[in-house]
Amino acid sequence: MSRILVIGGGAAGLLAAGTAAGRGHEVLLAERNDRPARKVMITGKGRCNLTNDVSDVKEFISNVPVNGRFLYSSVSSFGPPDIMRLMERCGVPLKVERGGRVFPQSDKAVDIVDALVRFDRTAGVRFFKGRAVGFECSDGKITQTVFEDGAKIAADAFILAVGGKSYPLTGSSGDGYPLAASLGHHIIEPRPALVPFVLDGSDFLGMQGLSLKNIAIHIKDTSGKTVYSDFGEMLFTHFGVSGPVILSASVALNDIGKRKYYLAVDLKPALSEEKLDARLVREFDANPAKTLSTVMSALLPRSMIPVVLRRAGVSGTEKCAETSRLLRSSLVRTMKSLDFTVTGTRDFNEAIITSGGVDVRQIDPKTMQSKLCDNLYFAGEIIDVAAYTGGFNLQIAFSTGFAAGNCV
Ligand SMILES: Cc1cc2nc3c(=O)[nH]c(=O)nc-3n(C[C@H](O)[C@H](O)[C@H](O)COP(=O)(O)OP(=O)(O)OC[C@H]3O[C@@H](n4cnc5c(N)ncnc54)[C@H](O)[C@@H]3O)c2cc1C
């Protein structure tokens, strides 16, 4: 039996601690907050989308655009069916919603947190409050963890599961990066991910609050090459754009904010330019005496009409009967590609996850053991992996937490 110190009582730390204790180790869990898993409490808008009921590991990994392959082994060993079984065994019935998203039947994230804490306590994990600030080492191994209040805790092995930097008020404020770097680990620069975009200009301001369904987005680099496309929902805000397709794009493009990108919104993805033109002709023919801006309300949300007309070089006061073919084609082009310049993303306070972190090349993907320090293991968001929404990020915390707790 060894003495294990788990640092960080979030999703990954709780799973790692209970797993290690269940194997007979003496496990201590240090959490800087009074209560563990504050972030898990606010996941899924307080409902906790804890995993995704994907059909296999390959499908899981296709939802992890940053270093997905690193997770192959850990998700194979402890994947969605395993956390679902564990939760049901801990007395939390689950349900599967649209897109395979798994939630507790109660719709209460606190039920998941309580179950994880119960899992730990039943296995004999001892919790204490403390913020880890440093390590003491000897012969390339950690001997003790140093805490903010000066306390030092010795152990045979250490699991660092302090999360990333997003939503820092929950306790995950990036402490893990200097801790890992102090032992020689390379840290891929952390950046906000699953985060809204900030746009240049002011056109979006008149559309704030407008939510668009069934649109397509294409993100282009400065050479005009499309680097990302998606279909779904988005929303205009007071700073730019948000919503599912935007959040996903923020994970896939890892140099956003450093490089300039252009966002092109296709407002009518189901119609080719020709079909959209034919639709306009029908609309204009049926309403010859009406103005363009009046008739466009059959095709576009009201707050968007002035923007589209201006971009198309149209005043809107023209009568439908008077619209030229040239003018129509300008309207069609604008509706098929409403363009904006992306200047960056919102910050860590609004980012659902952190991309970047401990370089996966320095971690054994089967065990989560550091390749630089024998008795150090990593788990959860501190590692440089990042996934789309849908329960994948919590599952990554559980899978890597299990691997660390099972191999320590
Ligand atoms: C608003 C929001 C909603 C989300 N919704 C979902 C969702 O529905 N589904 C999903 O899959 N993912 C969701 N996520 C992402 C998910 O919450 C994280 O990916 C996951 O919590 C990461 O787990 P973790 O254990 O690595 O880190 P965390 O859960 O962040 O836990 C880290 C813990 O370490 C503690 N800690 C930090 N520094 C120290 C230190 N120096 N010493 C001791 N303790 C320390 C922290 O206080 C914290 O308790 C959401 C995130 C946010 C912000």
Side-chain angles (χ1 to χ4, degrees), residues 225-286:
K225 188 175 148 212
T226 298
V227 291
Y228 183 85
S229 293
D230 199 2
F231 174 88
E233 292 177 31
M234 63 170 271
L235 162 83
F236 287 99
T237 68
H238 63 286
F239 51 77
V241 279
S242 187
V245 293
I246 300 297
L247 299 189
S248 294
S250 76
V251 186
L253 300 171
N254 61 12
D255 53 0
I256 203 148
K258 285 195 183 143
R259 278 180 68 180
K260 204 178 200 176
Y261 285 105
Y262 300 97
L263 166 70
V265 184
D266 182 347
L267 299 168
K268 301 287 171 193
L271 300 177
S272 63
E273 290 204 357
E274 294 68 33
K275 285 200 169 135
L276 182 54
D277 186 58
R279 172 82 207 277
L280 287 182
V281 170
R282 273 202 312 280
E283 210 64 55
F284 294 174
D285 284 351

Short mmCIF file of all heavy atoms in Angstrom, two decimals, residues 225-286:
data_model
loop_
_atom_site.label_atom_id
_atom_site.label_comp_id
_atom_site.label_asym_id
_atom_site.label_seq_id
_atom_site.Cartn_x
_atom_site.Cartn_y
_atom_site.Cartn_z
N LYS A 225 -8.69 30.87 -47.71
CA LYS A 225 -8.94 29.43 -47.63
C LYS A 225 -9.90 29.12 -46.48
O LYS A 225 -9.73 29.65 -45.37
CB LYS A 225 -7.59 28.73 -47.39
CG LYS A 225 -7.65 27.25 -47.48
CD LYS A 225 -6.26 26.65 -47.36
CE LYS A 225 -6.38 25.33 -46.69
NZ LYS A 225 -5.26 24.95 -45.87
N THR A 226 -10.88 28.27 -46.76
CA THR A 226 -11.80 27.88 -45.68
C THR A 226 -11.11 26.86 -44.80
O THR A 226 -10.68 25.80 -45.26
CB THR A 226 -13.11 27.29 -46.27
OG1 THR A 226 -13.73 28.33 -47.04
CG2 THR A 226 -14.05 26.85 -45.19
N VAL A 227 -11.00 27.19 -43.50
CA VAL A 227 -10.29 26.28 -42.57
C VAL A 227 -11.25 25.55 -41.64
O VAL A 227 -10.85 24.61 -40.95
CB VAL A 227 -9.23 27.06 -41.75
CG1 VAL A 227 -8.09 27.52 -42.63
CG2 VAL A 227 -9.84 28.24 -41.02
N TYR A 228 -12.49 25.99 -41.62
CA TYR A 228 -13.46 25.33 -40.73
C TYR A 228 -14.87 25.65 -41.23
O TYR A 228 -15.16 26.78 -41.60
CB TYR A 228 -13.29 25.85 -39.30
CG TYR A 228 -14.20 25.18 -38.30
CD1 TYR A 228 -13.86 23.98 -37.72
CD2 TYR A 228 -15.44 25.75 -37.97
CE1 TYR A 228 -14.72 23.36 -36.81
CE2 TYR A 228 -16.29 25.13 -37.07
CZ TYR A 228 -15.92 23.94 -36.50
OH TYR A 228 -16.77 23.32 -35.61
N SER A 229 -15.72 24.64 -41.23
CA SER A 229 -17.13 24.85 -41.60
C SER A 229 -18.02 24.08 -40.63
O SER A 229 -17.61 23.03 -40.10
CB SER A 229 -17.41 24.32 -43.01
OG SER A 229 -16.72 25.09 -43.95
N ASP A 230 -19.20 24.59 -40.41
CA ASP A 230 -20.14 23.87 -39.53
C ASP A 230 -21.55 24.34 -39.86
O ASP A 230 -21.75 25.35 -40.55
CB ASP A 230 -19.80 24.14 -38.05
CG ASP A 230 -20.40 23.11 -37.11
OD1 ASP A 230 -21.04 22.15 -37.59
OD2 ASP A 230 -20.22 23.25 -35.89
N PHE A 231 -22.51 23.61 -39.34
CA PHE A 231 -23.91 23.90 -39.59
C PHE A 231 -24.64 23.82 -38.26
O PHE A 231 -24.38 22.92 -37.47
CB PHE A 231 -24.47 22.85 -40.57
CG PHE A 231 -25.95 22.96 -40.79
CD1 PHE A 231 -26.45 23.80 -41.78
CD2 PHE A 231 -26.85 22.25 -40.00
CE1 PHE A 231 -27.81 23.92 -41.98
CE2 PHE A 231 -28.21 22.37 -40.20
CZ PHE A 231 -28.70 23.21 -41.20
N GLY A 232 -25.52 24.77 -38.00
CA GLY A 232 -26.28 24.69 -36.74
C GLY A 232 -26.80 26.03 -36.29
O GLY A 232 -27.35 26.79 -37.09
N GLU A 233 -26.54 26.33 -34.99
CA GLU A 233 -27.11 27.53 -34.39
C GLU A 233 -26.03 28.50 -33.94
O GLU A 233 -24.95 28.06 -33.50
CB GLU A 233 -27.91 27.13 -33.13
CG GLU A 233 -29.14 26.35 -33.42
CD GLU A 233 -29.85 25.92 -32.14
OE1 GLU A 233 -29.79 26.64 -31.14
OE2 GLU A 233 -30.46 24.83 -32.17
N MET A 234 -26.30 29.78 -34.03
CA MET A 234 -25.42 30.80 -33.48
C MET A 234 -26.24 31.98 -33.01
O MET A 234 -27.45 32.04 -33.23
CB MET A 234 -24.36 31.23 -34.48
CG MET A 234 -24.92 31.88 -35.72
SD MET A 234 -23.64 32.64 -36.73
CE MET A 234 -23.62 34.26 -36.00
N LEU A 235 -25.55 32.93 -32.37
CA LEU A 235 -26.24 34.02 -31.69
C LEU A 235 -25.38 35.27 -31.78
O LEU A 235 -24.15 35.18 -31.60
CB LEU A 235 -26.41 33.57 -30.23
CG LEU A 235 -26.70 34.53 -29.13
CD1 LEU A 235 -28.21 34.78 -29.13
CD2 LEU A 235 -26.32 33.92 -27.77
N PHE A 236 -25.98 36.43 -32.06
CA PHE A 236 -25.23 37.69 -32.01
C PHE A 236 -25.29 38.26 -30.59
O PHE A 236 -26.33 38.15 -29.93
CB PHE A 236 -25.81 38.70 -33.01
CG PHE A 236 -25.48 38.35 -34.43
CD1 PHE A 236 -26.39 37.69 -35.24
CD2 PHE A 236 -24.23 38.67 -34.95
CE1 PHE A 236 -26.06 37.35 -36.55
CE2 PHE A 236 -23.90 38.33 -36.27
CZ PHE A 236 -24.82 37.67 -37.06
N THR A 237 -24.19 38.84 -30.15
CA THR A 237 -24.12 39.38 -28.79
C THR A 237 -23.61 40.83 -28.86
O THR A 237 -23.39 41.35 -29.94
CB THR A 237 -23.12 38.58 -27.94
OG1 THR A 237 -21.82 38.83 -28.46
CG2 THR A 237 -23.41 37.09 -27.97
N HIS A 238 -23.35 41.43 -27.70
CA HIS A 238 -22.88 42.82 -27.68
C HIS A 238 -21.40 42.94 -28.06
O HIS A 238 -20.90 44.01 -28.26
CB HIS A 238 -23.15 43.47 -26.32
CG HIS A 238 -22.41 42.81 -25.19
ND1 HIS A 238 -22.77 41.59 -24.68
CD2 HIS A 238 -21.34 43.21 -24.50
CE1 HIS A 238 -21.94 41.28 -23.71
NE2 HIS A 238 -21.06 42.23 -23.58
N PHE A 239 -20.71 41.81 -28.14
CA PHE A 239 -19.29 41.87 -28.53
C PHE A 239 -19.00 41.13 -29.83
O PHE A 239 -17.92 41.23 -30.40
CB PHE A 239 -18.39 41.29 -27.42
CG PHE A 239 -18.85 39.91 -26.97
CD1 PHE A 239 -18.60 38.79 -27.74
CD2 PHE A 239 -19.56 39.75 -25.79
CE1 PHE A 239 -19.05 37.54 -27.37
CE2 PHE A 239 -20.02 38.49 -25.40
CZ PHE A 239 -19.76 37.40 -26.19
N GLY A 240 -19.94 40.31 -30.29
CA GLY A 240 -19.69 39.52 -31.50
C GLY A 240 -20.67 38.39 -31.64
O GLY A 240 -21.87 38.62 -31.76
N VAL A 241 -20.15 37.15 -31.60
CA VAL A 241 -21.03 36.00 -31.81
C VAL A 241 -20.73 34.88 -30.82
O VAL A 241 -19.59 34.71 -30.36
CB VAL A 241 -20.86 35.42 -33.24
CG1 VAL A 241 -21.67 36.21 -34.24
CG2 VAL A 241 -19.42 35.32 -33.66
N SER A 242 -21.77 34.12 -30.53
CA SER A 242 -21.65 32.96 -29.65
C SER A 242 -22.58 31.86 -30.18
O SER A 242 -23.02 31.93 -31.32
CB SER A 242 -22.01 33.36 -28.22
OG SER A 242 -21.73 32.30 -27.34
N GLY A 243 -22.83 30.86 -29.34
CA GLY A 243 -23.72 29.76 -29.77
C GLY A 243 -22.91 28.54 -30.19
O GLY A 243 -21.70 28.62 -30.38
N PRO A 244 -23.62 27.40 -30.34
CA PRO A 244 -22.93 26.12 -30.55
C PRO A 244 -21.89 26.09 -31.68
O PRO A 244 -20.77 25.62 -31.46
CB PRO A 244 -24.07 25.15 -30.85
CG PRO A 244 -25.25 25.75 -30.17
CD PRO A 244 -25.08 27.23 -30.21
N VAL A 245 -22.22 26.61 -32.86
CA VAL A 245 -21.24 26.47 -33.96
C VAL A 245 -20.00 27.32 -33.70
O VAL A 245 -18.89 26.97 -34.09
CB VAL A 245 -21.83 26.79 -35.35
CG1 VAL A 245 -22.86 25.77 -35.77
CG2 VAL A 245 -22.40 28.19 -35.43
N ILE A 246 -20.19 28.45 -33.02
CA ILE A 246 -19.05 29.34 -32.74
C ILE A 246 -18.16 28.71 -31.66
O ILE A 246 -16.93 28.68 -31.78
CB ILE A 246 -19.56 30.73 -32.28
CG1 ILE A 246 -20.43 31.35 -33.38
CG2 ILE A 246 -18.41 31.65 -31.87
CD1 ILE A 246 -19.73 31.64 -34.68
N LEU A 247 -18.79 28.18 -30.61
CA LEU A 247 -18.01 27.56 -29.53
C LEU A 247 -17.17 26.40 -30.09
O LEU A 247 -15.98 26.26 -29.76
CB LEU A 247 -18.92 27.06 -28.40
CG LEU A 247 -19.76 28.12 -27.69
CD1 LEU A 247 -20.45 27.51 -26.47
CD2 LEU A 247 -18.95 29.32 -27.24
N SER A 248 -17.78 25.59 -30.94
CA SER A 248 -17.02 24.47 -31.52
C SER A 248 -15.85 24.98 -32.35
O SER A 248 -14.74 24.44 -32.26
CB SER A 248 -17.92 23.61 -32.40
OG SER A 248 -18.89 22.97 -31.60
N ALA A 249 -16.09 26.03 -33.14
CA ALA A 249 -15.01 26.57 -33.97
C ALA A 249 -13.85 27.05 -33.10
O ALA A 249 -12.68 26.95 -33.48
CB ALA A 249 -15.54 27.72 -34.82
N SER A 250 -14.17 27.56 -31.91
CA SER A 250 -13.11 28.09 -31.04
C SER A 250 -12.19 26.99 -30.52
O SER A 250 -11.06 27.25 -30.12
CB SER A 250 -13.72 28.86 -29.86
OG SER A 250 -14.23 27.97 -28.89
N VAL A 251 -12.66 25.75 -30.51
CA VAL A 251 -11.79 24.63 -30.10
C VAL A 251 -10.92 24.20 -31.28
O VAL A 251 -9.74 23.93 -31.15
CB VAL A 251 -12.59 23.41 -29.61
CG1 VAL A 251 -11.67 22.34 -29.04
CG2 VAL A 251 -13.60 23.80 -28.57
N ALA A 252 -11.56 24.15 -32.45
CA ALA A 252 -10.86 23.61 -33.62
C ALA A 252 -9.75 24.53 -34.11
O ALA A 252 -8.73 24.06 -34.63
CB ALA A 252 -11.87 23.37 -34.74
N LEU A 253 -9.91 25.85 -33.94
CA LEU A 253 -8.89 26.79 -34.46
C LEU A 253 -8.00 27.22 -33.31
O LEU A 253 -8.39 28.05 -32.49
CB LEU A 253 -9.58 28.01 -35.07
CG LEU A 253 -10.51 27.69 -36.23
CD1 LEU A 253 -11.29 28.91 -36.63
CD2 LEU A 253 -9.71 27.16 -37.41
N ASN A 254 -6.81 26.65 -33.23
CA ASN A 254 -6.05 26.88 -32.01
C ASN A 254 -5.17 28.13 -32.03
O ASN A 254 -4.50 28.42 -31.05
CB ASN A 254 -5.25 25.64 -31.58
CG ASN A 254 -4.26 25.25 -32.62
OD1 ASN A 254 -4.01 26.02 -33.55
ND2 ASN A 254 -3.68 24.07 -32.51
N ASP A 255 -5.19 28.89 -33.13
CA ASP A 255 -4.42 30.14 -33.12
C ASP A 255 -5.33 31.35 -33.30
O ASP A 255 -4.89 32.41 -33.72
CB ASP A 255 -3.32 30.11 -34.19
CG ASP A 255 -3.87 29.76 -35.56
OD1 ASP A 255 -5.09 29.55 -35.67
OD2 ASP A 255 -3.08 29.70 -36.51
N ILE A 256 -6.58 31.15 -32.95
CA ILE A 256 -7.52 32.26 -33.08
C ILE A 256 -7.13 33.35 -32.07
O ILE A 256 -6.76 33.06 -30.95
CB ILE A 256 -8.97 31.75 -32.89
CG1 ILE A 256 -9.93 32.70 -33.56
CG2 ILE A 256 -9.35 31.50 -31.47
CD1 ILE A 256 -11.13 32.01 -34.11
N GLY A 257 -7.18 34.58 -32.47
CA GLY A 257 -6.70 35.65 -31.59
C GLY A 257 -5.29 36.05 -31.94
O GLY A 257 -4.90 37.20 -31.85
N LYS A 258 -4.51 35.06 -32.39
CA LYS A 258 -3.13 35.35 -32.82
C LYS A 258 -3.14 35.65 -34.31
O LYS A 258 -2.44 36.52 -34.78
CB LYS A 258 -2.23 34.15 -32.57
CG LYS A 258 -1.86 33.97 -31.13
CD LYS A 258 -0.70 33.02 -31.01
CE LYS A 258 -0.37 32.78 -29.56
NZ LYS A 258 0.03 31.40 -29.35
N ARG A 259 -3.93 34.84 -35.04
CA ARG A 259 -4.08 35.06 -36.48
C ARG A 259 -5.46 35.63 -36.75
O ARG A 259 -6.39 35.39 -36.00
CB ARG A 259 -3.95 33.72 -37.22
CG ARG A 259 -2.53 33.30 -37.44
CD ARG A 259 -2.49 32.00 -38.15
NE ARG A 259 -2.96 32.11 -39.53
CZ ARG A 259 -3.02 31.07 -40.35
NH1 ARG A 259 -2.67 29.87 -39.95
NH2 ARG A 259 -3.42 31.23 -41.59
N LYS A 260 -5.52 36.36 -37.86
CA LYS A 260 -6.80 36.96 -38.24
C LYS A 260 -7.63 35.91 -38.98
O LYS A 260 -7.09 35.17 -39.82
CB LYS A 260 -6.51 38.12 -39.16
CG LYS A 260 -7.57 39.16 -39.21
CD LYS A 260 -7.10 40.26 -40.14
CE LYS A 260 -7.82 41.55 -39.93
NZ LYS A 260 -7.27 42.59 -40.79
N TYR A 261 -8.89 35.86 -38.67
CA TYR A 261 -9.81 34.97 -39.39
C TYR A 261 -11.04 35.76 -39.81
O TYR A 261 -11.37 36.78 -39.21
CB TYR A 261 -10.23 33.80 -38.50
CG TYR A 261 -9.17 32.75 -38.32
CD1 TYR A 261 -8.46 32.65 -37.13
CD2 TYR A 261 -8.88 31.85 -39.34
CE1 TYR A 261 -7.48 31.68 -36.97
CE2 TYR A 261 -7.91 30.88 -39.18
CZ TYR A 261 -7.22 30.81 -38.00
OH TYR A 261 -6.26 29.85 -37.84
N TYR A 262 -11.70 35.24 -40.82
CA TYR A 262 -12.96 35.84 -41.27
C TYR A 262 -14.07 34.82 -41.09
O TYR A 262 -13.88 33.63 -41.39
CB TYR A 262 -12.86 36.25 -42.75
CG TYR A 262 -11.75 37.25 -42.96
CD1 TYR A 262 -10.49 36.83 -43.38
CD2 TYR A 262 -11.95 38.60 -42.68
CE1 TYR A 262 -9.45 37.74 -43.53
CE2 TYR A 262 -10.93 39.52 -42.82
CZ TYR A 262 -9.68 39.08 -43.24
OH TYR A 262 -8.67 39.98 -43.37
N LEU A 263 -15.19 35.31 -40.58
CA LEU A 263 -16.36 34.45 -40.38
C LEU A 263 -17.37 34.78 -41.48
O LEU A 263 -17.76 35.94 -41.63
CB LEU A 263 -16.97 34.75 -39.01
CG LEU A 263 -18.37 34.20 -38.74
CD1 LEU A 263 -18.34 32.68 -38.62
CD2 LEU A 263 -18.94 34.82 -37.46
N ALA A 264 -17.76 33.78 -42.25
CA ALA A 264 -18.78 33.98 -43.28
C ALA A 264 -20.01 33.18 -42.86
O ALA A 264 -19.92 31.96 -42.67
CB ALA A 264 -18.27 33.49 -44.63
N VAL A 265 -21.13 33.87 -42.68
CA VAL A 265 -22.36 33.19 -42.27
C VAL A 265 -23.24 33.01 -43.51
O VAL A 265 -23.58 33.98 -44.19
CB VAL A 265 -23.13 34.00 -41.20
CG1 VAL A 265 -24.35 33.23 -40.73
CG2 VAL A 265 -22.23 34.36 -40.03
N ASP A 266 -23.56 31.75 -43.80
CA ASP A 266 -24.48 31.44 -44.90
C ASP A 266 -25.88 31.35 -44.28
O ASP A 266 -26.18 30.41 -43.55
CB ASP A 266 -24.06 30.11 -45.56
CG ASP A 266 -24.96 29.74 -46.74
OD1 ASP A 266 -26.02 30.38 -46.89
OD2 ASP A 266 -24.59 28.83 -47.49
N LEU A 267 -26.69 32.37 -44.57
CA LEU A 267 -28.02 32.44 -43.93
C LEU A 267 -29.02 31.47 -44.55
O LEU A 267 -30.06 31.19 -43.97
CB LEU A 267 -28.56 33.88 -44.04
CG LEU A 267 -27.68 34.94 -43.34
CD1 LEU A 267 -28.12 36.34 -43.74
CD2 LEU A 267 -27.76 34.78 -41.83
N LYS A 268 -28.69 30.98 -45.74
CA LYS A 268 -29.61 30.05 -46.44
C LYS A 268 -28.83 28.85 -46.99
O LYS A 268 -28.72 28.67 -48.22
CB LYS A 268 -30.31 30.79 -47.61
CG LYS A 268 -31.11 32.00 -47.19
CD LYS A 268 -32.41 31.61 -46.47
CE LYS A 268 -33.07 32.83 -45.87
NZ LYS A 268 -34.15 32.48 -44.93
N PRO A 269 -28.27 28.05 -46.10
CA PRO A 269 -27.41 26.96 -46.58
C PRO A 269 -28.14 25.90 -47.41
O PRO A 269 -27.52 25.20 -48.20
CB PRO A 269 -26.83 26.35 -45.30
CG PRO A 269 -27.75 26.78 -44.22
CD PRO A 269 -28.36 28.07 -44.63
N ALA A 270 -29.47 25.83 -47.23
CA ALA A 270 -30.21 24.79 -47.97
C ALA A 270 -30.44 25.20 -49.43
O ALA A 270 -30.85 24.37 -50.25
CB ALA A 270 -31.54 24.53 -47.28
N LEU A 271 -30.21 26.47 -49.76
CA LEU A 271 -30.48 26.95 -51.12
C LEU A 271 -29.18 27.33 -51.82
O LEU A 271 -28.35 28.03 -51.25
CB LEU A 271 -31.38 28.20 -51.06
CG LEU A 271 -32.76 28.05 -50.41
CD1 LEU A 271 -33.48 29.40 -50.38
CD2 LEU A 271 -33.60 27.02 -51.16
N SER A 272 -29.04 26.88 -53.06
CA SER A 272 -27.90 27.33 -53.87
C SER A 272 -28.15 28.80 -54.25
O SER A 272 -29.27 29.30 -54.07
CB SER A 272 -27.81 26.49 -55.14
OG SER A 272 -28.98 26.72 -55.90
N GLU A 273 -27.14 29.47 -54.78
CA GLU A 273 -27.34 30.87 -55.18
C GLU A 273 -28.48 30.97 -56.19
O GLU A 273 -29.30 31.89 -56.12
CB GLU A 273 -26.05 31.45 -55.78
CG GLU A 273 -24.98 31.62 -54.71
CD GLU A 273 -23.93 32.66 -55.05
OE1 GLU A 273 -24.00 33.23 -56.15
OE2 GLU A 273 -23.06 32.90 -54.21
N GLU A 274 -28.54 30.00 -57.11
CA GLU A 274 -29.59 30.03 -58.14
C GLU A 274 -30.97 29.90 -57.51
O GLU A 274 -31.91 30.61 -57.84
CB GLU A 274 -29.41 28.90 -59.17
CG GLU A 274 -28.17 28.99 -60.04
CD GLU A 274 -26.86 28.78 -59.26
OE1 GLU A 274 -26.87 27.98 -58.28
OE2 GLU A 274 -25.86 29.41 -59.61
N LYS A 275 -31.08 28.96 -56.57
CA LYS A 275 -32.39 28.73 -55.93
C LYS A 275 -32.80 29.93 -55.09
O LYS A 275 -33.98 30.28 -55.03
CB LYS A 275 -32.35 27.46 -55.09
CG LYS A 275 -32.38 26.21 -55.97
CD LYS A 275 -32.81 25.01 -55.17
CE LYS A 275 -33.09 23.85 -56.12
NZ LYS A 275 -32.53 22.59 -55.65
N LEU A 276 -31.83 30.53 -54.43
CA LEU A 276 -32.14 31.69 -53.60
C LEU A 276 -32.58 32.85 -54.50
O LEU A 276 -33.53 33.57 -54.18
CB LEU A 276 -30.92 32.08 -52.74
CG LEU A 276 -31.11 33.25 -51.78
CD1 LEU A 276 -32.31 33.05 -50.86
CD2 LEU A 276 -29.85 33.47 -50.94
N ASP A 277 -31.92 32.98 -55.63
CA ASP A 277 -32.30 34.04 -56.57
C ASP A 277 -33.74 33.80 -57.05
O ASP A 277 -34.55 34.73 -57.11
CB ASP A 277 -31.32 34.06 -57.75
CG ASP A 277 -31.61 35.23 -58.67
OD1 ASP A 277 -31.57 36.38 -58.17
OD2 ASP A 277 -31.90 35.00 -59.86
N ALA A 278 -34.07 32.55 -57.37
CA ALA A 278 -35.42 32.23 -57.85
C ALA A 278 -36.45 32.55 -56.76
O ALA A 278 -37.55 33.04 -57.04
CB ALA A 278 -35.49 30.76 -58.23
N ARG A 279 -36.05 32.30 -55.51
CA ARG A 279 -36.94 32.61 -54.38
C ARG A 279 -37.19 34.12 -54.31
O ARG A 279 -38.33 34.58 -54.10
CB ARG A 279 -36.28 32.09 -53.09
CG ARG A 279 -36.93 32.46 -51.80
CD ARG A 279 -38.10 31.54 -51.49
NE ARG A 279 -39.09 32.21 -50.65
CZ ARG A 279 -39.01 32.33 -49.33
NH1 ARG A 279 -38.02 31.78 -48.69
NH2 ARG A 279 -39.93 32.99 -48.66
N LEU A 280 -36.14 34.92 -54.49
CA LEU A 280 -36.28 36.38 -54.46
C LEU A 280 -37.19 36.84 -55.61
O LEU A 280 -38.08 37.67 -55.41
CB LEU A 280 -34.91 37.06 -54.59
CG LEU A 280 -33.99 37.00 -53.36
CD1 LEU A 280 -32.69 37.76 -53.63
CD2 LEU A 280 -34.66 37.56 -52.12
N VAL A 281 -36.98 36.25 -56.79
CA VAL A 281 -37.81 36.62 -57.95
C VAL A 281 -39.28 36.38 -57.61
O VAL A 281 -40.14 37.24 -57.83
CB VAL A 281 -37.39 35.81 -59.21
CG1 VAL A 281 -38.40 36.01 -60.33
CG2 VAL A 281 -36.00 36.22 -59.67
N ARG A 282 -39.58 35.21 -57.04
CA ARG A 282 -40.97 34.88 -56.68
C ARG A 282 -41.54 35.92 -55.71
O ARG A 282 -42.64 36.42 -55.88
CB ARG A 282 -41.02 33.50 -56.04
CG ARG A 282 -41.15 32.37 -57.04
CD ARG A 282 -41.74 31.10 -56.41
NE ARG A 282 -41.15 30.70 -55.15
CZ ARG A 282 -40.00 30.02 -55.03
NH1 ARG A 282 -39.30 29.71 -56.10
NH2 ARG A 282 -39.54 29.66 -53.85
N GLU A 283 -40.74 36.23 -54.71
CA GLU A 283 -41.16 37.16 -53.66
C GLU A 283 -41.40 38.56 -54.26
O GLU A 283 -42.41 39.20 -53.97
CB GLU A 283 -40.05 37.20 -52.60
CG GLU A 283 -40.50 37.49 -51.19
CD GLU A 283 -41.41 36.42 -50.62
OE1 GLU A 283 -41.05 35.21 -50.60
OE2 GLU A 283 -42.50 36.80 -50.21
N PHE A 284 -40.48 38.99 -55.11
CA PHE A 284 -40.57 40.34 -55.69
C PHE A 284 -41.76 40.41 -56.67
O PHE A 284 -42.46 41.41 -56.72
CB PHE A 284 -39.28 40.74 -56.41
CG PHE A 284 -38.08 40.89 -55.47
CD1 PHE A 284 -36.80 41.13 -55.97
CD2 PHE A 284 -38.24 40.80 -54.10
CE1 PHE A 284 -35.72 41.26 -55.11
CE2 PHE A 284 -37.16 40.92 -53.23
CZ PHE A 284 -35.90 41.14 -53.73
N ASP A 285 -41.96 39.35 -57.45
CA ASP A 285 -43.07 39.33 -58.42
C ASP A 285 -44.42 39.39 -57.71
O ASP A 285 -45.38 39.99 -58.21
CB ASP A 285 -43.02 38.06 -59.28
CG ASP A 285 -41.92 38.16 -60.34
OD1 ASP A 285 -41.35 39.27 -60.47
OD2 ASP A 285 -41.63 37.15 -61.01
N ALA A 286 -44.47 38.75 -56.54
CA ALA A 286 -45.75 38.71 -55.81
C ALA A 286 -46.05 40.04 -55.13
O ALA A 286 -47.20 40.29 -54.74
CB ALA A 286 -45.72 37.59 -54.77
#
